[in-house]
Amino acid sequence: MSKKISPYRNIFQVLKLNRLVSISVSIGAFCACMFSGFLVYKMHRDAVEHAFAINTRGEVIPLSWQLRRDNLKVEALAHLELFHRYFYGLSPAGYQEQLEKALWLGNSTVDNVYRQKRADGVYNRILQYALVQQIDTVKSEVELDQAPYSFRTRTVFRINRGMIEDTYELITTGKLLPVERRFPENTHGLLITDFFEARLHKLPVE
């Protein structure tokens, strides 16, 4: 007489096999996700650390992140110097044209400072008394770790009142927001935001 096999034994074997297959598939999927994540991270790092530019001969050249950072610093400093010379280096002959150029380099916070100065009669006094504001130095510090980039600028300028000349130091702060370049209005592709005149005081005569 043949020995009968219990049907439950076969069910247990099938369940055990299914469990083994499920664990294997889960481990395989986890490994695939980890590998895909590593590839994405590597591609992102390569994209951040390297960019490409075309030189004057049409050749493609790689640019490291450090080089791009150095270029950004140069452009940021140039943008800030240009703005401060336009906005504060005023004379009766061409101050309106200079202010118009300066307003292209900043957002509404710059425009608010301009409107306040106009309401206070600053530009009328320049015309009435033939005042000349001459910029001596513009020195800026910029934090490039994260956009928008914070800045602090020290501007020294002289106000000529004919026989009298006074020297002032102005501290301004704000942020630089990367925007699309626009020639000739905004060639550096940066926009001044959160602009604030933090301090103004008269320097002693040397």
Side-chain angles (χ1 to χ4, degrees):
M1 186 174 179
S2 60
K3 186 177 179 180
K4 294 182 178 181
I5 300 175
S6 173
Y8 296 106
R9 183 178 180 183
N10 293 335
I11 291 176
F12 290 143
Q13 289 178 346
V14 171
L15 292 176
K16 184 177 181 180
L17 179 61
N18 288 343
R19 183 170 178 270
L20 181 62
V21 171
S22 299
I23 293 175
S24 300
V25 171
S26 299
I27 293 175
F30 176 76
C31 293
C33 290
M34 292 294 292
F35 183 69
S36 299
F38 171 75
L39 288 180
V40 171
Y41 169 75
K42 186 175 184 300
M43 291 173 61
H44 173 71
R45 185 183 62 185
D46 291 342
V48 169
E49 292 182 352
H50 298 87
F52 297 92
I54 300 178
N55 62 16
T56 55
R57 296 190 297 272
E59 299 172 343
V60 178
I61 57 175
L63 295 175
S64 67
W65 166 243
Q66 184 60 42
L67 179 57
R68 286 190 292 158
R69 184 184 177 91
D70 292 343
N71 290 340
L72 176 59
K73 183 176 182 180
V74 170
E75 294 214 50
L77 295 177
H79 185 88
L80 290 170
E81 177 157 0
L82 186 64
F83 167 77
H84 285 81
R85 289 190 179 277
Y86 278 155
F87 201 67
Y88 296 104
L90 305 176
S91 65
Y95 80 95
Q96 291 181 328
E97 181 180 353
Q98 285 192 208
L99 289 173
E100 183 178 347
K101 292 179 180 179
L103 293 176
W104 276 104
L105 306 179
N107 71 350
S108 59
T109 58
V110 172
D111 186 64
N112 290 340
V113 174
Y114 160 72
R115 291 177 182 274
Q116 184 61 50
K117 288 179 177 294
R118 188 175 64 180
D120 292 341
V122 172
Y123 307 121
N124 286 337
R125 286 194 294 272
I126 289 177
L127 288 175
Q128 183 177 359
Y129 300 106
L131 303 180
V132 176
Q133 288 189 184
Q134 183 176 348
I135 304 296
D136 283 346
T137 59
V138 178
K139 294 184 179 180
S140 300
E141 298 175 356
V142 186
E143 297 291 337
L144 298 176
D145 295 332
Q146 183 178 2
Y149 314 114
S150 301
F151 73 83
R152 181 180 185 273
T153 300
R154 176 181 181 266
T155 303
V156 176
F157 63 93
R158 289 174 288 158
I159 298 181
N160 190 310
R161 300 180 177 89
M163 299 298 295
I164 302 175
E165 187 175 79
D166 296 321
T167 303
Y168 294 85
E169 178 191 65
L170 173 66
I171 304 297
T172 55
T173 60
K175 296 180 180 179
L176 289 174
L177 180 68
V179 295
E180 185 177 353
R181 297 175 189 269
R182 180 168 179 169
F183 184 83
E185 290 86 2
N186 192 333
T187 56
H188 296 107
L190 296 168
L191 193 70
I192 296 174
T193 66
D194 299 334
F195 184 64
F196 180 66
E197 293 182 340
R199 187 182 69 194
L200 172 67
H201 74 276
K202 185 178 177 180
L203 297 178
V205 179
E206 296 181 355

